[in-house]
Amino acid sequence: MKNVLFTTTALAALAIGGVASAQGISLFGDARLGLGYNINNDGSANGEEDLRAISRVRFGVNMTGETDSGITFGATIRADNARGGQGDDTNGMSAGNVFVSGSWGTLTYGDTNAADEQWVGDIPGNLSLTGLGDLQETFFISNGGSFGTDNANNFASNPFARPTVRYDFDIAGFGISLSSNRDLTDVVVGAGYQADFGGGSFGIGVGYNNYKSFRQTVANGLSVCEDGAGGLTTTCNAGDDVFTIAGADSTSEVPEGEQWSAAVTGDWENFGLGVVWTQADSKSNDFVDGAKFGTIGVGGTFGWDAFTVGAYYVNIYEGSDRLESYDGKSAYGLTAAYDLGGGAQVAGGVARTFGRDELFQGGNLIQRDQDADTVADFGIKMAF
């Protein structure tokens, strides 16, 4: 994997060695305003069951150029992510992306999809104003994905999944991608095929990620219960009142493992449909228990005139060890949008989050239960 990436990078660098021409810089942006129920400004659930004003504005820049030999190159960055685009000494580039492209394919670095996400993607059907937590997004370990907003058990939250290095090549509807993480330890492969069929189109995508162990920072807090003698204990039982004492952040290890994923999508006239499946298995080692999770989701859209409605459903059909509290949990949403023209649309939706059960290991409470939340938003989206 390393040899392929390094060789491709070297060839691209040689190709760009000549004088560049056809350079261009263009601005882009988006904004929104509206109302949110039970959500923070970013669309994530806040559990306060309140109604509040929500708004946001962002802008960025696309940069493109072309060498005398016909190699195109460019970069994209949002202004609010400029610091991450610079890349610090330790973590490297964590926002924006940089690419070179030619007849040999495209090489992309930075905050970009890994090979599996590039071809499998997310469940369709979320047209809401804020995304409402984007619960229809697929949990790709290659993307540092995790379940909900649970900071204590973000099994898949790899802090070094970014920057990503990805190579893409496609021909006649077929495509393949290879990628790795910042440390070039993971091997990620994605492939797919897209074609016209029956007056519409369909696509098939598959992905595989062989990832090495990684350490993540956990926003920690000590969970304690009353011990029956007026004191506190960390040994809690189901039904006990649990108190959290703030504590310093700590690190935990996620053992190496692999993740498979697949998707089937289709569009026919006014209808769009997609089904996405994933299965991940992190192996146990001498120090840490592994964990498995599996997800299946379906979503779709239907449009007529300026209206489009969407819906999605995703189920965590398997969760073991550290993810046991998510086993069997589901999230779903119903959304809609009306195109006003000129890049503006009225959008909104209502969704139900995953929730989770209490998780005990060795008599200790590892994770508190959390009821599923109902969240909603409504307002105007703007694209510039």
Side-chain angles (χ1 to χ4, degrees):
M1 179 67 180
K2 291 184 181 179
N3 291 335
V4 172
L5 294 173
F6 289 154
T7 302
T8 308
T9 304
L11 289 173
L14 289 173
I16 295 177
V19 177
S21 61
Q23 295 181 2
I25 294 179
S26 62
L27 297 176
F28 66 90
D30 65 76
R32 66 189 184 211
L33 59 83
L35 298 174
Y37 169 74
N38 201 19
I39 60 173
N40 299 309
N41 197 61
D42 64 356
S44 59
N46 62 20
E48 297 181 10
E49 299 185 353
D50 60 353
L51 187 67
R52 63 177 62 187
I54 51 177
S55 59
R56 185 184 72 181
V57 59
R58 305 184 303 187
F59 75 93
V61 58
N62 289 317
M63 299 168 279
T64 58
E66 184 176 340
T67 69
D68 289 346
S69 60
I71 300 295
T72 59
F73 57 92
T76 298
I77 187 69
R78 287 204 324 254
D80 55 312
N81 289 335
R83 184 182 181 91
Q86 165 69 20
D88 60 35
D89 295 338
T90 302
N91 297 327
M93 183 180 178
S94 59
N97 62 75
V98 185
F99 74 91
V100 291
S101 183
S103 59
W104 40 265
T106 301
L107 184 66
T108 307
Y109 277 53
D111 184 14
T112 188
N113 293 339
D116 53 354
E117 185 176 8
Q118 182 74 357
W119 287 101
V120 175
D122 298 322
I123 301 163
N126 191 349
L127 309 171
S128 61
L129 178 67
T130 63
L132 296 174
D134 296 313
L135 300 176
Q136 90 294 343
E137 291 189 350
T138 310
F139 306 122
F140 291 104
I141 293 176
S142 63
N143 189 28
S146 57
F147 296 107
T149 57
D150 172 30
N151 292 325
N153 233 339
N154 278 345
F155 165 75
S157 186
N158 183 356
F160 302 124
R162 296 289 185 269
T164 296
V165 181
R166 190 185 75 245
Y167 169 75
D168 304 308
F169 184 81
D170 54 79
I171 184 172
F174 291 92
I176 186 168
S177 298
L178 304 173
S179 71
S180 192
N181 59 333
R182 186 203 70 169
D183 296 328
L184 304 179
T185 56
D186 300 351
V187 178
V188 192
V189 182
Y193 176 73
Q194 294 181 327
D196 296 331
F197 178 78
S201 64
F202 78 96
I204 299 173
V206 294
Y208 172 75
N209 178 13
N210 187 305
Y211 58 91
K212 300 301 180 183
S213 63
F214 56 89
R215 299 193 67 81
Q216 57 186 197
T217 299
V218 178
N220 231 355
L222 179 64
S223 296
V224 297
C225 307
E226 294 184 358
D227 61 6
L232 299 175
T233 177
T234 57
T235 302
C236 302
N237 300 308
D240 288 349
D241 292 329
V242 182
F243 308 91
T244 300
I245 301 175
D249 291 350
S250 64
T251 60
S252 64
E253 179 186 352
V254 175
E256 66 180 1
E258 56 186 6
Q259 181 177 25
W260 293 89
S261 55
V264 178
T265 59
D267 291 286
W268 296 272
E269 295 182 352
N270 298 334
F271 290 93
L273 182 68
V275 180
V276 178
W277 165 85
T278 68
Q279 178 72 43
D281 182 2
S282 185
K283 302 175 178 63
S284 298
N285 59 32
D286 292 338
F287 306 100
V288 183
D289 291 334
K292 294 182 180 180
F293 73 84
T295 68
I296 184 73
V298 60
T301 59
F302 174 72
W304 73 99
D305 297 329
F307 289 95
T308 306
V309 295
Y312 61 88
Y313 171 86
V314 57
N315 174 255
I316 302 172
Y317 66 82
E318 180 182 19
S320 67
D321 298 303
R322 286 179 290 172
L323 300 175
E324 184 179 351
S325 60
Y326 288 102
D327 191 17
K329 300 301 182 182
S330 299
Y332 47 89
L334 179 64
T335 64
Y338 179 81
D339 188 2
L340 298 172
Q345 61 178 218
V346 177
V350 58
R352 190 73 169 168
T353 65
F354 286 106
R356 60 176 185 261
D357 297 327
E358 287 182 335
L359 178 62
F360 290 85
Q361 289 183 357
N364 292 324
L365 179 67
I366 303 301
Q367 183 171 273
R368 299 170 64 180
D369 63 354
Q370 175 181 301
D371 293 334
D373 289 309
T374 298
V375 293
D377 61 19
F378 178 79
I380 299 177
K381 284 183 179 179
M382 311 165 202
F384 305 96

